[in-house]
Amino acid sequence: MSGKTSTIGKMFENLSRVSIRNPSKEFIFILVVMIVIAFLAVIPTGFPTNAYPNSIRAVSRVLEVNNDNVFSTIGFVFQGEQVCKVEILDGPFKGRQAYASNKFFGRLEVDKVFVKGDKALVVIDYTDQKIRHVNMIDHYRIHLEAFLVGIFGLFLVLFARWTGVKALVSFF
């Protein structure tokens, strides 16, 4: 019994010798890391900002939906093409209406179904300020995603305190 007591006593002695990190040194380190991240974010990469010069991304609202060319293969798995009339909400074509295609491949992980009133991210192909083709990419939900990331960060800091702040910095 005395052997166990001495072993436990040695563990507590070792714990008392462990040095607690200096919070000011950690703060300085985190500040340096954030400065390096900011520097890396602004330096040019050498890659073009737009690989397709005659196309832009934009937010749009679905005004009408035509599902005449959509075929259900198994339950809610679709193939074919959905044609949507959209109003472009931002960019150089703001306020203009166009027909956009949404192709179904029969794969649930990539197929998106749009209904009237949805906000969508679209890619607009154009020539000389004339729209050639509009392709539906996905539902536009960046505001919801930003809100959820903010709530996650808030709870991370509330529960983990300083460790939560360091974890947030590590995400960048």
Side-chain angles (χ1 to χ4, degrees), residues 5-15:
T5 307
S6 64
T7 306
I8 293 174
K10 287 180 183 178
M11 283 179 18
F12 283 117
E13 283 179 24
N14 289 337
L15 283 176

Side-chain angles (χ1 to χ4, degrees), residues 30-41:
I30 288 177
L31 192 61
V32 168
V33 168
M34 290 176 67
I35 290 170
V36 169
I37 289 170
F39 174 72
L40 291 174

Side-chain angles (χ1 to χ4, degrees), residues 102-156:
N102 177 29
K103 298 202 185 322
F104 292 112
F105 299 101
R107 295 174 34 207
L108 289 176
E109 67 271 13
V110 296
D111 290 343
K112 313 290 189 270
V113 179
F114 295 95
V115 296
K116 182 179 177 180
D118 281 348
K119 272 186 160 180
L121 178 66
V122 298
V123 172
I124 303 168
D125 294 328
Y126 64 93
T127 304
D128 299 327
Q129 298 302 318
K130 182 181 177 194
I131 297 175
R132 286 185 301 159
H133 180 72
V134 180
N135 190 21
M136 307 284 282
I137 300 298
D138 204 345
H139 292 90
Y140 186 78
R141 49 184 164 242
I142 193 72
H143 301 299
L144 176 61
E145 290 174 2
F147 174 74
L148 291 174
V149 167
I151 293 293
F152 171 75
L154 177 69
F155 280 119
L156 189 62

Side-chain angles (χ1 to χ4, degrees), residues 81-86 98-102 122 133-136:
E81 181 181 24
Q82 182 182 46
V83 178
C84 302
K85 184 176 183 181
V86 297
Y99 286 95
S101 65
N102 177 29
V122 298
H133 180 72
V134 180
N135 190 21
M136 307 284 282

Side-chain angles (χ1 to χ4, degrees), residues 71-79 104 106-108 111 113:
F71 307 99
S72 177
T73 56
I74 302 171
F76 49 84
V77 178
F78 299 112
Q79 288 184 333
F104 292 112
R107 295 174 34 207
L108 289 176
D111 290 343
V113 179

